[in-house]
Amino acid sequence: MRIVMKFGGTSVADAERIRHVAALVVSATAEHNVVPVVSAMDQVTEMLLDLADAAASGNSMQAEALLKAVRDKHLAAAYALGAQQAVTALLERLEGLVRGVLALEELTPRARDAIVAFGERLSCAMLAHVLGARAMDGREAGIVTDDHFGEADPLMDLSMYQVGQSLGPLLDAGERVVVTGFVAANQHGVTSTLGRGGSDYTATILGAALRADEIWIYSDVDGLMTADPRSVPDARLLARLSFAEAVEMGKFGAKSMHPRALEPAAAHGVPVRMRSTFKPEHPGTLISDKQAEGGAGAEGGRVSIVRCVPMLKNLAMVNIGGAAMIGRPGSASEVFAALAGQRVNVHMICQSVSEAGISLVVGGGQLDRAKGALEKTLRGVGSPRTIEVVPNVCVVAAVGSGMRGTRGVAARIFTSLARAGVNVIAIAQGSSEMSISIVVEASAGPLAVRAIHDEFSLGS
Amino acid sequence: MQVTLVGFGVVGRALAGQLRDQHALLERLTGGAVVLAGVCDTRGCAVAPRGLDIDALLAHKATGQSVGSFSSSTGGEGAIARGFDAGFGPAQFVAAQGRLAGDAGPRVVVESGPSDLKHPAPAVENLLAAMRSGLHAVSVNKAPLAVAMAALLEAAAHNRVQLRYSGTVGAGTPVLALARQAALGDRVLGVRAIINGTTNFILHRMASQDEAFDAALAEAVRLGYAEADPSNDIDGVDTAMKLVILANHLHDLRDGGHRPSYADARVQGIRGLSLALIREARARGKTIKLLGSIDVDGGLKVEPTEVDAGGPMDTPRNVNAVCLSLERCGEVTLVGRGAGGPETATAIVRDLVDIARVHRGG
């Protein structure tokens, strides 16, 4: 099989773990044609972003300190791995860039990408050294993006072709490579980064372009669970999920993949396996086109309609009310334009047919910004409206493609919540019918998750 | 309009001649003078922002020399020429043409190299380099489109330039445009196409003269219908490349799926086809043609196939035919003469005029 293996930051956090990853790759290489994709070492991307900002504000002391921290971290790992040479040259180039930014006290998104990309370049160089493989960045691998530095979108068809051209012949010739995640370039070869989805996105683009048999996403968890085990002690690992279910789960927590990163794999039908670096023998969670064996939602012989119950915490709700909104076209547009203007990400939206109010769920950290933006815009136009906030809420979701067209799912969910004494603040269900999102008070979140989890017998 | 020509073979030279001969007509149709601002062959390039002296250039090329040694004294105002080396080849030449001084009209690169399916990457790179540099692109080279059409169309959209290729299928007969026009507003269920003149000449000769394959092939070579190495034609490669381009051109009028490329086509040619099969088909009122077909699921296939003798697909000699099966309008068949150097050059001119019109916002 041809397999793209992606290793996250915790999987390459130090020399020992890089050696462990290398051993994983080597043992897989005995059986498969392997393309490893690697993230920056744990914490390094954040350090580089801070470094870039410090340099841009002319804070040379902080910049020097951060630069030293980045250098020390990589040199320590590199010495242990005997990879000083590969790392030193890269560190020198990074230092040169930072000095440039310090001198100019100016940081364009393009320059920020050039600096941040060193995280992946450095980890890639070290892993490649250990493996005796060729280190390639995303540009050399053929991933081409538009010019939106910091959050670049791949030119997907062009990338598919170029990856096939650049990596295809190398792999066919049996050459070993390691590719940087997250890093790409625009069509003129200027470094860009993929933003949301990051290294996972790199892995799925390569997997689709190289017609891989599977894409293995390694992290520090065994796979995707029916619920957060901290809330639900008997939560189980999901052996299989459909792409559609995985996309629904993508919003909830860092352990799942960003929906954007699932797109290339779903479009080209390449299965994605999420597994743990630390338990390589564990098969993890397989995300694929195929329904779980035994029909929708079958899991170890049991059929379940709801597959998992993820929860999103640290949220706040904003209720906008007022009779003036009823039947007036453009009300919703004003609300969302105001929020978009302040770059507030809206997680959930509810409005009843009466149109007397719109309820929104936003990140807890963005609440003040959201409230400010709405007050400024909506009160300004003279129509009397109320803006009310509920600061501490969370969203609990029931996800499963078996919910589509199945009657009585909502009844079971809400009955179970009532039995558990959980007060439901708001509800949203999209037309995909693959998930129902329920807003509850933050303190009631774990209770709500357990109630739904038990109702659908998802535990072990 | 500044035209830059990559490849100076039969088609390229025919185009240069046509630009010279139709100068006044083209100026009227495109809204400005059309000049040959640059040309390259495999060994070098010549450039003149205000236009190369086409007569002198053709005479120079006729002596067997590369355009890279074209004399600057006779080449036209401001003409320069140079040979290619490891650091400066066709793609670098094309990119440099994007920085050329000159009029405000559209700038177009024409890729007219041979359709080499074994090594399509350089031609893909020429087209990408053109579009990256903000130049419109025309390709009569089928190979880059056959392997990377989706990528090339995406690059065109991203750079807001036009990519045209009407000369790749049917050449003199605008098969692609006509097929698209015929299918607009309807839904394409399937396509069957005779789009390779050489094989059709051979099959027609076998059927009408009761001649064996080898004899018919020899006749095709003698009359200039087939090249000395006819493999690309008789093994179905040329038909398959054209079929991929046709399928992509009709992509949004069919039912979704990926844009196909050459790797998606199942290809079987007519090499060594037995005369007995043709005789047997004839006895049943049929004849055998090399058909390229797109089925309902988007599957691409090239193979010798029986069609009704005397029907619309039973075309003589090198005459092409494309039969569209449409959901509402039923079968629509387009018939027209296939390719040659002058016909292909005319197709390029057609693309240049279209580019100028769209560029002006007309």
Side-chain angles (χ1 to χ4, degrees):
Chain A
M1 295 205 293
R2 174 168 286 176
I3 296 179
V4 176
M5 299 169 101
K6 177 260 169 178
F7 298 97
T10 52
S11 301
V12 291
D14 55 35
E16 193 193 330
R17 290 193 178 173
I18 291 173
R19 261 201 216 101
H20 175 67
V21 162
L24 274 181
V25 172
V26 167
S27 85
T29 304
E31 229 181 306
H32 307 298
N33 186 330
V34 178
V35 185
V37 174
V38 66
S39 299
M41 291 172 83
D42 200 24
Q43 303 298 321
V44 165
T45 300
E46 292 76 9
M47 289 162 79
L48 289 169
L49 284 169
D50 289 347
L51 170 58
D53 287 337
S57 59
N59 187 340
S60 59
M61 264 176 56
Q62 198 197 349
E64 290 294 348
L66 282 162
L67 197 56
K68 181 172 182 311
V70 169
R71 196 190 298 123
D72 290 352
K73 188 176 174 91
H74 287 95
L75 283 177
Y79 273 114
L81 299 168
Q84 306 91 301
Q85 213 169 2
V87 165
T88 312
L90 285 167
L91 287 170
E92 271 167 26
R93 278 172 55 199
L94 171 64
E95 203 172 319
L97 277 179
V98 171
R99 300 229 175 286
V101 173
L102 262 172
L104 289 167
E105 294 191 21
E106 180 182 285
L107 184 68
T108 60
R110 172 175 159 155
R112 189 194 305 268
D113 273 359
I115 289 173
V116 167
F118 275 89
E120 275 73 13
R121 286 191 213 283
L122 285 159
S123 61
C124 181
M126 289 190 282
L127 181 59
H129 177 86
V130 178
L131 287 169
R134 181 203 290 217
M136 297 176 85
D137 67 17
R139 177 185 62 83
E140 292 164 317
I143 299 179
V144 193
T145 71
D146 62 14
D147 299 335
H148 292 117
F149 295 100
E151 184 74 59
D153 271 317
L155 302 179
M156 202 54 86
D157 289 319
L158 194 51
S159 298
M160 293 285 141
Y161 170 75
Q162 307 234 103
V163 169
Q165 288 291 303
S166 60
L167 276 180
L170 291 180
L171 297 174
D172 290 341
E175 189 160 339
R176 289 184 185 188
V177 300
V178 181
V179 183
T180 60
F182 185 57
V183 181
N186 73 2
Q187 58 176 349
H188 303 290
V190 179
T191 300
S192 58
T193 63
L194 295 177
R196 295 162 299 139
S199 297
D200 291 351
Y201 204 8
T202 302
T204 54
I205 293 169
L206 296 185
L210 297 168
R211 294 165 193 256
D213 296 285
E214 283 187 17
I215 299 158
W216 294 353
I217 305 289
Y218 280 98
S219 67
D220 52 2
V221 296
D222 294 348
L224 297 173
M225 308 281 291
T226 53
D228 185 340
R230 284 169 299 185
S231 311
V232 183
D234 67 342
R236 279 180 320 112
L237 190 82
L238 288 157
R240 302 189 74 125
L241 272 180
S242 69
F243 279 113
E245 287 167 333
V247 166
E248 291 284 340
M249 280 187 75
K251 276 289 300 245
F252 296 92
K255 302 306 179 196
S256 49
M257 274 173 83
H258 194 285
R260 188 186 193 219
L262 282 165
E263 248 169 52
H268 291 81
V270 184
V272 175
R273 194 180 286 281
M274 308 198 55
R275 55 198 314 182
S276 166
T277 322
F278 308 108
K279 289 190 201 160
E281 69 293 340
H282 197 296
T285 301
L286 184 69
I287 303 167
S288 72
D289 266 341
K290 295 197 189 77
Q291 288 289 357
E293 278 142 40
E299 189 76 46
R302 292 183 297 184
V303 175
S304 56
I305 299 157
V306 171
R307 304 291 314 283
C308 52
V309 192
M311 175 167 75
L312 204 54
K313 293 189 284 195
N314 302 324
L315 301 175
M317 194 148 127
V318 182
N319 299 313
I320 303 140
M325 291 169 67
I326 299 174
R328 180 173 157 266
S331 293
S333 154
E334 282 165 19
V335 167
F336 293 111
L339 294 170
Q342 286 298 314
R343 303 187 67 80
V344 174
N345 182 21
V346 178
H347 292 288
M348 190 173 133
I349 303 161
C350 300
Q351 185 190 31
S352 68
V353 172
S354 79
E355 297 183 35
I358 298 177
S359 299
L360 309 166
V361 174
V362 301
Q366 295 194 310
L367 176 60
D368 291 341
R369 207 140 33 105
K371 188 164 177 254
L374 289 170
E375 279 173 347
K376 195 171 144 202
T377 312
L378 300 183
R379 296 249 165 93
V381 296
S383 47
R385 287 180 226 194
T386 58
I387 297 165
E388 174 196 297
V389 299
V390 185
N392 291 310
V393 301
C394 65
V395 172
V396 173
V399 176
S401 48
M403 290 164 66
R404 185 171 13 192
T406 306
R407 290 177 201 183
V409 179
R412 287 177 66 186
I413 291 173
F414 293 112
T415 305
S416 71
L417 291 175
R419 252 196 323 260
V422 174
N423 179 38
V424 173
I425 300 174
I427 307 158
Q429 181 186 28
S431 55
S432 77
E433 286 188 53
M434 267 186 298
S435 74
I436 294 180
S437 300
I438 300 149
V439 181
V440 300
E441 269 177 41
S443 58
L447 191 59
V449 171
R450 271 198 299 279
I452 300 171
H453 199 263
D454 287 347
E455 172 63 31
F456 291 92
S457 311
L458 299 180
S460 47
Chain B
M1 175 185 270
Q2 289 180 331
V3 177
T4 294
L5 189 50
V6 178
F8 208 40
V10 176
V11 173
R13 293 199 290 264
L15 176 67
Q18 199 171 339
L19 292 182
R20 175 196 58 200
D21 298 342
Q22 296 187 321
H23 196 265
L25 175 69
L26 286 173
E27 183 158 350
R28 210 160 60 236
L29 289 174
T30 64
V34 178
V35 300
L36 185 62
V39 59
C40 78
D41 51 28
T42 53
R43 288 174 287 166
C45 60
V47 178
R50 291 165 167 255
L52 291 156
D53 179 334
I54 292 173
D55 279 327
L57 190 68
L58 288 170
H60 177 80
K61 186 71 183 173
T63 64
Q65 297 178 78
S66 164
V67 296
S69 60
F70 187 45
S71 161
S72 54
S73 56
T74 55
E77 192 183 334
I80 50 167
R82 64 167 286 182
F84 286 148
D85 53 39
F88 190 86
Q92 288 75 26
F93 159 66
V94 165
Q97 290 298 93
R99 301 188 290 271
L100 211 58
D103 62 43
R107 299 172 179 201
V108 189
V109 170
V110 178
E111 162 61 50
S112 73
S115 296
D116 182 357
L117 192 67
K118 291 200 179 72
H119 306 98
V124 174
E125 189 46 39
N126 291 342
L127 292 168
L128 289 177
M131 296 190 282
R132 265 202 301 269
S133 308
L135 302 160
H136 302 291
V138 173
S139 184
V140 287
N141 185 342
K142 295 176 279 277
L145 297 163
V147 300
M149 191 132 174
L152 291 165
L153 289 171
E154 186 178 44
H158 178 67
N159 290 295
R160 297 193 177 83
V161 296
Q162 301 174 57
L163 170 66
R164 302 256 168 180
Y165 43 83
S166 80
T168 53
V169 185
T173 312
V175 168
L176 292 169
L178 289 174
R180 202 176 155 77
Q181 193 64 32
L184 268 179
D186 209 322
R187 190 165 70 99
V188 179
L189 300 176
V191 179
R192 292 179 303 146
I194 298 169
I195 38 185
N196 178 270
T198 308
T199 49
N200 203 57
F201 178 89
I202 293 170
L203 292 171
H204 178 247
R205 178 115 189 145
M206 289 172 76
S208 62
Q209 309 290 315
D210 201 43
E211 209 168 76
F213 175 84
D214 289 334
L217 172 60
E219 185 65 7
V221 173
R222 192 182 70 81
L223 293 174
Y225 284 114
E227 290 167 38
D229 177 6
S231 305
N232 252 3
D233 293 321
I234 64 176
D235 291 334
V237 176
D238 182 72
T239 300
M241 287 196 283
K242 290 169 173 166
L243 186 67
V244 169
I245 295 167
L246 179 61
N248 274 283
H249 197 66
L250 299 175
H251 183 255
D252 56 341
L253 304 178
R254 296 188 298 114
D255 279 341
H258 291 292
R259 283 188 172 276
S261 76
Y262 191 88
D264 299 313
R266 279 193 8 231
V267 185
Q268 186 197 333
I270 62 162
R271 189 186 285 271
L273 187 83
S274 143
L275 181 58
L277 282 177
I278 290 186
R279 284 176 179 159
E280 191 202 317
R282 191 166 51 205
R284 289 182 282 110
K286 304 276 185 183
T287 189
I288 294 177
K289 295 290 184 185
L290 182 61
L291 289 193
S293 60
I294 309 170
D295 67 24
V296 162
D297 309 322
L300 304 188
K301 203 166 54 186
V302 174
E303 65 183 4
T305 310
E306 286 190 3
V307 302
D308 290 336
M313 296 300 281
D314 184 9
T315 59
R317 293 180 305 281
N318 66 338
V319 175
N320 287 354
V322 173
C323 176
L324 305 167
S325 299
L326 303 174
E327 189 177 45
R328 289 169 182 76
C329 299
E331 292 203 337
V332 175
T333 307
L334 312 163
V335 178
R337 210 155 72 86
E343 290 88 342
T344 306
T346 305
I348 296 172
V349 171
R350 191 160 67 210
D351 286 342
L352 295 177
V353 171
D354 273 351
I355 285 173
R357 190 171 295 145
V358 174
H359 187 87
R360 282 206 315 264

